[in-house]
Amino acid sequence: LVRDVVKVADAYPGALTDRFADLLVVWANDAPITALASPRIGTIEAMATRERSGNHREGGWFASNAAIAPCSALDLGPAVAAMLGVSL
């Protein structure tokens, strides 16, 4: 389920590190995740979907006005600016 957990301060040291999350989770994307088991919570099952939010990688997506569109990260700033009526 999880390939790695990265401490942000170690991976990205700098004066503003305290403004970000403490940890980043790198998900294992080798196969669809359809269930998760925990001794405390039990087993949770769900259908795997091809698209997931938070896909910070090539082929990721973001939602805008209920429309989901494949895009480059370079498209995100102009898209948000356009929704706010701001010209870049």
Side-chain angles (χ1 to χ4, degrees), residues 73-83 86 88:
L74 299 175
D75 297 327
L76 183 57
V80 171
M83 287 188 298
V86 176
L88 296 180

Side-chain angles (χ1 to χ4, degrees), residues 27 29 49-62 71 73:
W27 298 104
N29 290 314
T49 60
R50 182 170 134 43
E51 305 294 341
R52 292 184 353 194
S53 64
N55 286 340
H56 299 287
R57 63 181 191 271
E58 187 67 32
W61 59 272
F62 72 96
C71 68

